[in-house]
mmCIF file of all heavy atoms in Angstrom:
data_model
loop_
_atom_site.group_PDB
_atom_site.id
_atom_site.type_symbol
_atom_site.label_atom_id
_atom_site.label_comp_id
_atom_site.label_asym_id
_atom_site.label_seq_id
_atom_site.Cartn_x
_atom_site.Cartn_y
_atom_site.Cartn_z
ATOM 1 N N SER U 1 -2.198 10.116 6.904
ATOM 2 C CA SER U 1 -2.137 10.619 5.511
ATOM 3 C C SER U 1 -2.654 9.597 4.532
ATOM 4 O O SER U 1 -3.005 9.876 3.358
ATOM 5 C CB SER U 1 -0.743 11.008 5.202
ATOM 6 O OG SER U 1 0.192 9.980 5.307
ATOM 7 N N VAL U 2 -2.666 8.288 4.848
ATOM 8 C CA VAL U 2 -3.097 7.218 3.891
ATOM 9 C C VAL U 2 -4.319 6.422 4.372
ATOM 10 O O VAL U 2 -4.859 5.611 3.691
ATOM 11 C CB VAL U 2 -1.960 6.304 3.526
ATOM 12 C CG1 VAL U 2 -0.722 7.074 3.167
ATOM 13 C CG2 VAL U 2 -1.619 5.321 4.708
ATOM 14 N N LYS U 3 -4.719 6.718 5.597
ATOM 15 C CA LYS U 3 -5.872 5.901 6.173
ATOM 16 C C LYS U 3 -7.061 6.083 5.278
ATOM 17 O O LYS U 3 -7.457 7.148 4.845
ATOM 18 C CB LYS U 3 -6.093 6.404 7.610
ATOM 19 C CG LYS U 3 -6.953 5.448 8.457
ATOM 20 C CD LYS U 3 -7.024 5.971 9.897
ATOM 21 C CE LYS U 3 -5.719 5.992 10.598
ATOM 22 N NZ LYS U 3 -5.705 6.548 11.938
ATOM 23 N N GLY U 4 -7.672 4.914 5.001
ATOM 24 C CA GLY U 4 -8.819 4.955 4.189
ATOM 25 C C GLY U 4 -8.570 4.803 2.736
ATOM 26 O O GLY U 4 -9.567 4.592 1.894
ATOM 27 N N ARG U 5 -7.366 4.927 2.287
ATOM 28 C CA ARG U 5 -6.972 4.933 0.847
ATOM 29 C C ARG U 5 -6.002 3.723 0.671
ATOM 30 O O ARG U 5 -6.055 3.085 -0.486
ATOM 31 C CB ARG U 5 -6.277 6.204 0.412
ATOM 32 C CG ARG U 5 -7.251 7.353 0.580
ATOM 33 C CD ARG U 5 -6.519 8.659 -0.104
ATOM 34 N NE ARG U 5 -5.213 8.997 0.614
ATOM 35 C CZ ARG U 5 -4.057 9.009 0.014
ATOM 36 N NH1 ARG U 5 -3.934 8.729 -1.296
ATOM 37 N NH2 ARG U 5 -2.981 9.407 0.619
ATOM 38 N N PHE U 6 -5.164 3.353 1.603
ATOM 39 C CA PHE U 6 -4.228 2.238 1.498
ATOM 40 C C PHE U 6 -4.671 1.109 2.308
ATOM 41 O O PHE U 6 -5.254 1.239 3.400
ATOM 42 C CB PHE U 6 -2.831 2.714 1.937
ATOM 43 C CG PHE U 6 -2.179 3.722 1.102
ATOM 44 C CD1 PHE U 6 -2.807 4.360 0.031
ATOM 45 C CD2 PHE U 6 -0.798 4.002 1.205
ATOM 46 C CE1 PHE U 6 -2.232 5.382 -0.748
ATOM 47 C CE2 PHE U 6 -0.132 4.908 0.450
ATOM 48 C CZ PHE U 6 -0.762 5.592 -0.596
ATOM 49 N N THR U 7 -4.294 -0.161 1.810
ATOM 50 C CA THR U 7 -4.660 -1.302 2.515
ATOM 51 C C THR U 7 -3.380 -2.238 2.542
ATOM 52 O O THR U 7 -2.845 -2.604 1.441
ATOM 53 C CB THR U 7 -5.784 -2.108 1.931
ATOM 54 O OG1 THR U 7 -6.910 -1.234 1.896
ATOM 55 C CG2 THR U 7 -6.149 -3.305 2.753
ATOM 56 N N ILE U 8 -2.908 -2.605 3.703
ATOM 57 C CA ILE U 8 -1.786 -3.615 3.824
ATOM 58 C C ILE U 8 -2.319 -4.967 4.029
ATOM 59 O O ILE U 8 -3.330 -5.127 4.703
ATOM 60 C CB ILE U 8 -0.870 -3.109 4.991
ATOM 61 C CG1 ILE U 8 0.504 -3.855 4.944
ATOM 62 C CG2 ILE U 8 -1.526 -3.264 6.345
ATOM 63 C CD1 ILE U 8 1.545 -3.281 5.860
ATOM 64 N N SER U 9 -1.584 -5.924 3.431
ATOM 65 C CA SER U 9 -2.054 -7.351 3.639
ATOM 66 C C SER U 9 -0.706 -8.146 3.444
ATOM 67 O O SER U 9 0.313 -7.690 3.039
ATOM 68 C CB SER U 9 -3.103 -7.714 2.602
ATOM 69 O OG SER U 9 -2.589 -7.586 1.314
ATOM 70 N N ARG U 10 -0.913 -9.403 3.811
ATOM 71 C CA ARG U 10 0.246 -10.370 3.641
ATOM 72 C C ARG U 10 -0.250 -11.722 3.227
ATOM 73 O O ARG U 10 -1.354 -12.142 3.516
ATOM 74 C CB ARG U 10 1.095 -10.413 4.955
ATOM 75 C CG ARG U 10 0.402 -10.993 6.176
ATOM 76 C CD ARG U 10 1.149 -10.782 7.455
ATOM 77 N NE ARG U 10 2.489 -11.308 7.361
ATOM 78 C CZ ARG U 10 3.565 -10.983 8.034
ATOM 79 N NH1 ARG U 10 3.412 -9.963 8.961
ATOM 80 N NH2 ARG U 10 4.697 -11.543 7.965
ATOM 81 N N GLU U 11 0.667 -12.413 2.470
ATOM 82 C CA GLU U 11 0.335 -13.764 2.082
ATOM 83 C C GLU U 11 1.593 -14.575 2.483
ATOM 84 O O GLU U 11 2.522 -14.653 1.657
ATOM 85 C CB GLU U 11 0.076 -13.736 0.543
ATOM 86 C CG GLU U 11 -0.501 -15.071 0.052
ATOM 87 C CD GLU U 11 -1.018 -14.910 -1.379
ATOM 88 O OE1 GLU U 11 -0.910 -13.829 -1.967
ATOM 89 O OE2 GLU U 11 -1.374 -15.915 -1.950
ATOM 90 N N ASN U 12 1.502 -15.117 3.630
ATOM 91 C CA ASN U 12 2.684 -15.826 4.138
ATOM 92 C C ASN U 12 3.064 -17.003 3.237
ATOM 93 O O ASN U 12 4.323 -17.346 3.126
ATOM 94 C CB ASN U 12 2.495 -16.339 5.580
ATOM 95 C CG ASN U 12 2.476 -15.131 6.498
ATOM 96 O OD1 ASN U 12 2.927 -14.072 6.262
ATOM 97 N ND2 ASN U 12 1.911 -15.378 7.733
ATOM 98 N N ALA U 13 2.147 -17.647 2.554
ATOM 99 C CA ALA U 13 2.488 -18.753 1.609
ATOM 100 C C ALA U 13 3.358 -18.245 0.502
ATOM 101 O O ALA U 13 4.178 -19.069 -0.006
ATOM 102 C CB ALA U 13 1.205 -19.363 1.133
ATOM 103 N N LYS U 14 3.305 -17.009 0.234
ATOM 104 C CA LYS U 14 4.095 -16.469 -0.949
ATOM 105 C C LYS U 14 5.270 -15.595 -0.330
ATOM 106 O O LYS U 14 5.989 -14.952 -1.036
ATOM 107 C CB LYS U 14 3.326 -15.630 -1.865
ATOM 108 C CG LYS U 14 2.331 -16.436 -2.645
ATOM 109 C CD LYS U 14 1.613 -15.634 -3.785
ATOM 110 C CE LYS U 14 0.762 -16.444 -4.594
ATOM 111 N NZ LYS U 14 0.183 -15.692 -5.701
ATOM 112 N N ASN U 15 5.315 -15.592 1.055
ATOM 113 C CA ASN U 15 6.342 -14.772 1.673
ATOM 114 C C ASN U 15 6.398 -13.355 1.295
ATOM 115 O O ASN U 15 7.573 -12.784 0.978
ATOM 116 C CB ASN U 15 7.765 -15.514 1.368
ATOM 117 C CG ASN U 15 8.729 -15.394 2.578
ATOM 118 O OD1 ASN U 15 8.338 -15.219 3.659
ATOM 119 N ND2 ASN U 15 10.048 -15.506 2.326
ATOM 120 N N THR U 16 5.185 -12.805 1.118
ATOM 121 C CA THR U 16 5.093 -11.460 0.574
ATOM 122 C C THR U 16 4.054 -10.661 1.275
ATOM 123 O O THR U 16 3.125 -11.145 1.833
ATOM 124 C CB THR U 16 4.582 -11.649 -0.999
ATOM 125 O OG1 THR U 16 5.604 -12.426 -1.718
ATOM 126 C CG2 THR U 16 4.496 -10.291 -1.585
ATOM 127 N N VAL U 17 4.360 -9.352 1.355
ATOM 128 C CA VAL U 17 3.433 -8.374 1.959
ATOM 129 C C VAL U 17 3.099 -7.404 0.891
ATOM 130 O O VAL U 17 3.925 -7.040 0.069
ATOM 131 C CB VAL U 17 4.040 -7.680 3.142
ATOM 132 C CG1 VAL U 17 3.152 -6.598 3.694
ATOM 133 C CG2 VAL U 17 4.362 -8.709 4.274
ATOM 134 N N TYR U 18 1.839 -6.969 0.901
ATOM 135 C CA TYR U 18 1.337 -6.092 -0.110
ATOM 136 C C TYR U 18 0.915 -4.730 0.507
ATOM 137 O O TYR U 18 0.542 -4.686 1.678
ATOM 138 C CB TYR U 18 0.108 -6.638 -0.839
ATOM 139 C CG TYR U 18 0.449 -7.999 -1.469
ATOM 140 C CD1 TYR U 18 0.083 -9.137 -0.767
ATOM 141 C CD2 TYR U 18 1.114 -8.138 -2.721
ATOM 142 C CE1 TYR U 18 0.293 -10.443 -1.326
ATOM 143 C CE2 TYR U 18 1.381 -9.436 -3.197
ATOM 144 C CZ TYR U 18 1.002 -10.535 -2.528
ATOM 145 O OH TYR U 18 1.260 -11.789 -3.051
ATOM 146 N N LEU U 19 0.910 -3.715 -0.425
ATOM 147 C CA LEU U 19 0.328 -2.408 -0.084
ATOM 148 C C LEU U 19 -0.522 -1.967 -1.231
ATOM 149 O O LEU U 19 -0.008 -1.602 -2.263
ATOM 150 C CB LEU U 19 1.449 -1.392 0.287
ATOM 151 C CG LEU U 19 0.837 -0.075 0.791
ATOM 152 C CD1 LEU U 19 0.292 -0.250 2.204
ATOM 153 C CD2 LEU U 19 1.992 0.996 0.841
ATOM 154 N N GLN U 20 -1.839 -2.064 -1.093
ATOM 155 C CA GLN U 20 -2.740 -1.608 -2.084
ATOM 156 C C GLN U 20 -3.021 -0.171 -1.921
ATOM 157 O O GLN U 20 -3.399 0.261 -0.790
ATOM 158 C CB GLN U 20 -4.055 -2.366 -1.993
ATOM 159 C CG GLN U 20 -5.177 -1.875 -2.943
ATOM 160 C CD GLN U 20 -4.794 -2.195 -4.410
ATOM 161 O OE1 GLN U 20 -4.408 -3.296 -4.733
ATOM 162 N NE2 GLN U 20 -5.004 -1.209 -5.312
ATOM 163 N N MET U 21 -2.711 0.648 -2.907
ATOM 164 C CA MET U 21 -2.869 2.081 -2.858
ATOM 165 C C MET U 21 -3.914 2.571 -3.737
ATOM 166 O O MET U 21 -3.754 2.447 -4.965
ATOM 167 C CB MET U 21 -1.472 2.719 -3.128
ATOM 168 C CG MET U 21 -0.352 2.212 -2.278
ATOM 169 S SD MET U 21 1.214 3.053 -2.456
ATOM 170 C CE MET U 21 1.529 2.834 -4.201
ATOM 171 N N ASP U 22 -4.985 3.114 -3.205
ATOM 172 C CA ASP U 22 -6.083 3.606 -4.077
ATOM 173 C C ASP U 22 -6.188 5.125 -3.859
ATOM 174 O O ASP U 22 -5.673 5.729 -2.894
ATOM 175 C CB ASP U 22 -7.380 2.943 -3.654
ATOM 176 C CG ASP U 22 -7.343 1.432 -3.978
ATOM 177 O OD1 ASP U 22 -6.844 1.016 -5.011
ATOM 178 O OD2 ASP U 22 -7.801 0.669 -3.028
ATOM 179 N N SER U 23 -6.914 5.769 -4.785
ATOM 180 C CA SER U 23 -7.183 7.202 -4.665
ATOM 181 C C SER U 23 -5.898 7.935 -4.458
ATOM 182 O O SER U 23 -5.721 8.806 -3.644
ATOM 183 C CB SER U 23 -8.124 7.569 -3.569
ATOM 184 O OG SER U 23 -9.388 6.829 -3.723
ATOM 185 N N LEU U 24 -4.899 7.706 -5.263
ATOM 186 C CA LEU U 24 -3.531 8.216 -5.099
ATOM 187 C C LEU U 24 -3.560 9.695 -5.367
ATOM 188 O O LEU U 24 -4.331 10.208 -6.240
ATOM 189 C CB LEU U 24 -2.595 7.586 -5.967
ATOM 190 C CG LEU U 24 -2.122 6.141 -5.462
ATOM 191 C CD1 LEU U 24 -1.435 5.276 -6.550
ATOM 192 C CD2 LEU U 24 -1.102 6.336 -4.354
ATOM 193 N N LYS U 25 -2.764 10.359 -4.660
ATOM 194 C CA LYS U 25 -2.619 11.840 -4.819
ATOM 195 C C LYS U 25 -1.099 12.231 -5.186
ATOM 196 O O LYS U 25 -0.249 11.465 -4.802
ATOM 197 C CB LYS U 25 -2.948 12.485 -3.445
ATOM 198 C CG LYS U 25 -4.353 12.188 -2.931
ATOM 199 C CD LYS U 25 -4.519 12.790 -1.511
ATOM 200 C CE LYS U 25 -5.876 12.398 -0.913
ATOM 201 N NZ LYS U 25 -6.096 12.979 0.501
ATOM 202 N N PRO U 26 -0.979 13.380 -5.784
ATOM 203 C CA PRO U 26 0.377 13.727 -6.045
ATOM 204 C C PRO U 26 1.335 13.716 -4.771
ATOM 205 O O PRO U 26 2.527 13.451 -4.933
ATOM 206 C CB PRO U 26 0.252 15.195 -6.594
ATOM 207 C CG PRO U 26 -1.095 15.128 -7.231
ATOM 208 C CD PRO U 26 -1.932 14.275 -6.292
ATOM 209 N N GLU U 27 0.795 14.036 -3.666
ATOM 210 C CA GLU U 27 1.560 14.052 -2.409
ATOM 211 C C GLU U 27 1.930 12.690 -1.924
ATOM 212 O O GLU U 27 2.754 12.469 -0.986
ATOM 213 C CB GLU U 27 0.879 14.844 -1.311
ATOM 214 C CG GLU U 27 -0.508 14.406 -1.091
ATOM 215 C CD GLU U 27 -1.550 15.259 -1.736
ATOM 216 O OE1 GLU U 27 -1.358 15.632 -2.985
ATOM 217 O OE2 GLU U 27 -2.562 15.646 -1.076
ATOM 218 N N ASP U 28 1.462 11.653 -2.656
ATOM 219 C CA ASP U 28 1.920 10.257 -2.386
ATOM 220 C C ASP U 28 3.217 9.928 -3.082
ATOM 221 O O ASP U 28 3.726 8.827 -2.840
ATOM 222 C CB ASP U 28 0.828 9.277 -2.705
ATOM 223 C CG ASP U 28 -0.445 9.354 -1.865
ATOM 224 O OD1 ASP U 28 -0.312 9.549 -0.604
ATOM 225 O OD2 ASP U 28 -1.591 9.243 -2.413
ATOM 226 N N THR U 29 3.618 10.732 -3.933
ATOM 227 C CA THR U 29 4.868 10.535 -4.700
ATOM 228 C C THR U 29 6.014 10.457 -3.774
ATOM 229 O O THR U 29 6.322 11.273 -2.988
ATOM 230 C CB THR U 29 5.128 11.648 -5.725
ATOM 231 O OG1 THR U 29 4.044 11.721 -6.688
ATOM 232 C CG2 THR U 29 6.434 11.505 -6.389
ATOM 233 N N ALA U 30 6.768 9.269 -3.897
ATOM 234 C CA ALA U 30 7.873 9.011 -2.942
ATOM 235 C C ALA U 30 8.556 7.666 -3.415
ATOM 236 O O ALA U 30 7.932 6.924 -4.179
ATOM 237 C CB ALA U 30 7.399 8.929 -1.545
ATOM 238 N N LEU U 31 9.630 7.406 -2.802
ATOM 239 C CA LEU U 31 10.231 6.093 -2.835
ATOM 240 C C LEU U 31 9.724 5.307 -1.686
ATOM 241 O O LEU U 31 9.769 5.728 -0.546
ATOM 242 C CB LEU U 31 11.748 6.179 -2.703
ATOM 243 C CG LEU U 31 12.567 4.945 -3.016
ATOM 244 C CD1 LEU U 31 12.291 4.433 -4.427
ATOM 245 C CD2 LEU U 31 14.057 5.228 -2.815
ATOM 246 N N TYR U 32 9.075 4.143 -1.954
ATOM 247 C CA TYR U 32 8.407 3.344 -1.002
ATOM 248 C C TYR U 32 9.354 2.087 -0.609
ATOM 249 O O TYR U 32 9.802 1.421 -1.501
ATOM 250 C CB TYR U 32 7.071 2.847 -1.452
ATOM 251 C CG TYR U 32 6.054 3.906 -1.451
ATOM 252 C CD1 TYR U 32 6.046 4.915 -2.378
ATOM 253 C CD2 TYR U 32 5.019 3.782 -0.479
ATOM 254 C CE1 TYR U 32 5.098 5.929 -2.333
ATOM 255 C CE2 TYR U 32 4.014 4.836 -0.443
ATOM 256 C CZ TYR U 32 4.131 5.909 -1.322
ATOM 257 O OH TYR U 32 3.116 6.845 -1.335
#
């Protein structure tokens, strides 16, 4: 459902993981 629109990445130096969400759709509405 998100392939090609979302990108996951991590920055261990900041102890953080990211989720870049592009081309968002109403059906992406949720608690993440």
Side-chain angles (χ1 to χ4, degrees):
S1 61
V2 307
K3 198 173 296 182
R5 300 187 297 120
F6 290 12
T7 304
I8 192 170
S9 62
R10 64 191 302 156
E11 192 170 358
N12 287 342
K14 293 188 176 182
N15 215 22
T16 301
V17 174
Y18 305 100
L19 186 68
Q20 176 67 45
M21 307 187 298
D22 299 317
S23 302
L24 282 162
K25 305 175 182 180
E27 51 263 44
D28 294 318
T29 295
L31 189 61
Y32 283 71

